[in-house]
Amino acid sequence: MDKTELVFISDEISTREELCKAFSKYLMLPKKNKRYSDNYSVEMFGYNVPTMFEMMKETLSEETGLREKMTLHEGTPTLISESFVVSEPDLYYNKDAFDSGDVNLCFVIGYSGSGKSVLTREYQGEGIEKVELDDIVCIKDHRTMEDLKENNPILYDFFSGEGSKYYTSRDERSIREDHSDVFVTFTRFAMEYVKTHKEKRYILEGIWTYLFFDDPSEFDDYAVFMKGTSLAKSKVRRMKRELSAGTGSTIDKIMEFGYYFTDSMLHAGNVDVWRRYFEKKPETKLIEEDNKSNRIKASIMNEINSINDCFVNKDKAGIEEIMKNAENSTDMSLTEKTIIIKECKSAILEMK
């Protein structure tokens, strides 16, 4: 492989600007090139590229001078790069109203890998209907209309009516066409749908909401939960997952139908606009990630690193051993077990 196709981050980097540029190049590499970059990075520096980025981000002081681009919103300057490198507390707007049922539609927003599913783990049961917005692109590939009718009535009503033209497969769509229409159309459909379906509460989860809606005031009448995890940190988590993801994973769909990172950077200003808007409202609560959550995440990532190491070295038996240990563990939570077992199965599938 041509070494010009590899990207590394070393401790010779002296500015945050240089660091972010290097990591951006890494994120845009094809999956195979990322794996080689990570493998050689471990050999040379002891850590893979995403981990080196995290370490260097902490090492470099704020005074090194990240020369951020600026954008204006109502005359207020916003640092586009702020949401790229800086994590903030999780934001809950209208949480009390959603919990009580006075508001029955909640938008859960955050970068891929930021922990949106963890944020809504408390909302389970027959009275809650969740929609992962990632799944509505080319939904025909993995959900039949009968399945939607039985398990996701809101999606069934959309794809059998107003959104019927979006009930397509990958083979029926062009990778280059604009995919924002389905997200915008479904979001507006959902806003009307919940008014006549008060018997349930609805959660729409995905980054696409603030990518395609510039004006957060359109969401004043609903609940909005935003993960504060930065784009860089989210990408680190996401790229670690991607190394062992199977061909049918959500991450592959995002990469195929949206050029996720590029879109995120182009719309990064929207993230800050949304946060600054809802932060000022009295109905908003800001909550830091708790230490227990961080410990669980660290434990999971250690296991994923081991899975990735086995994957690079074509050690299928090693991955099977990790999966067996997770299945038999009495110390891991159900969430930890589920994630690790899924990662193992994906890695084994991809090795074939």
Side-chain angles (χ1 to χ4, degrees):
M1 177 178 291
D2 187 342
K3 289 191 176 182
T4 60
E5 298 179 310
L6 304 181
V7 174
F8 305 108
I9 291 177
S10 75
D11 56 7
E12 294 180 358
I13 290 178
S14 58
T15 68
R16 280 177 170 249
E17 181 181 29
E18 186 182 357
L19 177 65
C20 290
K21 284 182 178 179
F23 194 51
S24 295
K25 290 180 181 178
Y26 167 84
L27 295 175
M28 299 305 291
L29 289 175
K31 184 185 294 185
K32 183 177 181 180
N33 298 60
K34 291 190 185 80
R35 288 178 178 157
Y36 277 100
S37 295
D38 283 331
N39 188 43
Y40 295 145
S41 179
V42 170
E43 291 182 3
M44 292 187 294
F45 309 118
Y47 303 95
N48 63 21
V49 177
T51 304
M52 286 295 293
F53 171 81
E54 284 290 290
M55 293 171 63
M56 290 302 298
K57 186 184 74 173
E58 296 297 326
T59 300
L60 294 174
S61 66
E62 296 292 340
E63 287 74 25
T64 56
L66 177 60
R67 293 189 289 274
E68 297 104 338
K69 294 181 180 178
M70 303 293 288
T71 185
L72 295 178
H73 178 71
E74 297 180 348
T76 303
T78 302
L79 297 180
I80 283 183
S81 57
E82 181 179 343
S83 63
F84 178 75
V85 296
V86 180
S87 291
E88 300 187 69
D90 295 338
L91 182 152
Y92 298 83
Y93 168 69
N94 266 345
K95 185 179 189 301
D96 291 341
F98 185 68
D99 289 347
S100 67
D102 291 339
V103 170
N104 70 329
L105 176 58
C106 178
F107 294 89
V108 178
I109 305 170
Y111 295 118
S112 180
S114 63
K116 296 185 297 296
S117 297
V118 175
L119 196 70
T120 60
R121 188 175 296 152
E122 65 180 285
Y123 297 102
Q124 299 181 21
E126 294 183 0
I128 294 286
E129 187 170 341
K130 292 186 181 182
V131 174
E132 292 189 15
L133 294 178
D134 293 341
D135 291 339
I136 70 175
V137 176
C138 301
I139 193 170
K140 189 176 182 179
D141 283 328
H142 53 280
R143 301 289 296 274
T144 65
M145 292 300 292
E146 284 300 315
D147 177 29
L148 293 179
K149 186 175 183 179
E150 181 177 351
N151 297 299
N152 283 102
I154 188 172
L155 288 178
Y156 175 78
D157 282 8
F158 176 70
F159 286 110
S160 63
E162 178 182 343
S164 59
K165 67 178 180 179
Y166 300 113
Y167 188 73
T168 58
S169 65
R170 295 188 186 192
D171 293 338
E172 295 168 338
R173 299 192 65 149
S174 167
I175 190 173
R176 293 182 176 84
E177 71 178 80
D178 184 1
H179 302 287
S180 63
D181 284 354
V182 63
F183 299 114
V184 173
T185 304
F186 175 70
T187 297
R188 297 201 185 285
F189 170 85
M191 288 174 168
E192 294 300 316
Y193 180 92
V194 300
K195 294 177 182 178
T196 56
H197 293 78
K198 297 287 189 180
E199 73 281 359
K200 280 187 179 181
R201 289 179 292 166
Y202 300 86
I203 294 176
L204 272 57
E205 177 185 315
I207 184 177
W208 311 107
T209 309
Y210 58 51
L211 289 189
F212 301 124
F213 288 88
D214 294 334
D215 184 5
S217 67
E218 292 189 58
F219 296 78
D220 281 351
D221 295 334
Y222 311 101
V224 176
F225 298 171
M226 294 182 67
K227 285 296 297 181
T229 313
S230 69
L231 175 57
K233 186 173 182 179
S234 299
K235 287 294 293 182
V236 170
R237 295 174 179 173
R238 176 174 168 269
M239 299 316 293
K240 288 176 179 176
R241 290 204 310 252
E242 184 186 356
L243 289 174
S244 56
T247 56
S249 70
T250 297
I251 199 64
D252 288 329
K253 287 182 287 183
I254 294 174
M255 292 298 290
E256 182 175 359
F257 295 113
Y259 301 107
Y260 168 77
F261 181 67
T262 303
D263 277 350
S264 299
M265 289 300 293
L266 289 174
H267 295 83
N270 280 8
V271 180
D272 294 313
V273 168
W274 275 63
R275 284 194 67 89
R276 302 294 88 82
Y277 177 80
F278 286 112
E279 278 178 352
K280 299 174 183 177
K281 292 185 171 291
E283 301 87 356
T284 295
K285 299 178 181 179
L286 299 176
I287 302 176
E288 298 278 0
E289 287 185 321
D290 60 52
N291 290 333
K292 180 180 179 182
S293 175
N294 289 336
R295 287 195 297 271
I296 291 175
K297 290 172 186 174
S299 174
I300 291 173
M301 289 318 305
N302 285 336
E303 293 296 322
I304 291 177
N305 286 339
S306 297
I307 295 168
N308 290 340
D309 180 64
C310 291
F311 180 87
V312 170
N313 290 287
K314 305 186 185 304
D315 183 7
K316 180 180 176 183
I319 296 175
E320 291 174 339
E321 182 66 21
I322 293 172
M323 183 163 58
K324 180 180 178 181
N325 290 339
E327 291 172 338
N328 297 329
S329 174
T330 58
D331 297 326
M332 291 183 184
S333 67
L334 178 60
T335 299
E336 290 176 88
K337 287 187 176 185
T338 301
I339 293 174
I340 293 166
I341 292 171
K342 179 181 178 181
E343 290 290 341
C344 287
K345 289 180 177 179
S346 296
I348 291 172
L349 180 63
E350 195 173 291
M351 291 178 74
K352 294 181 179 179

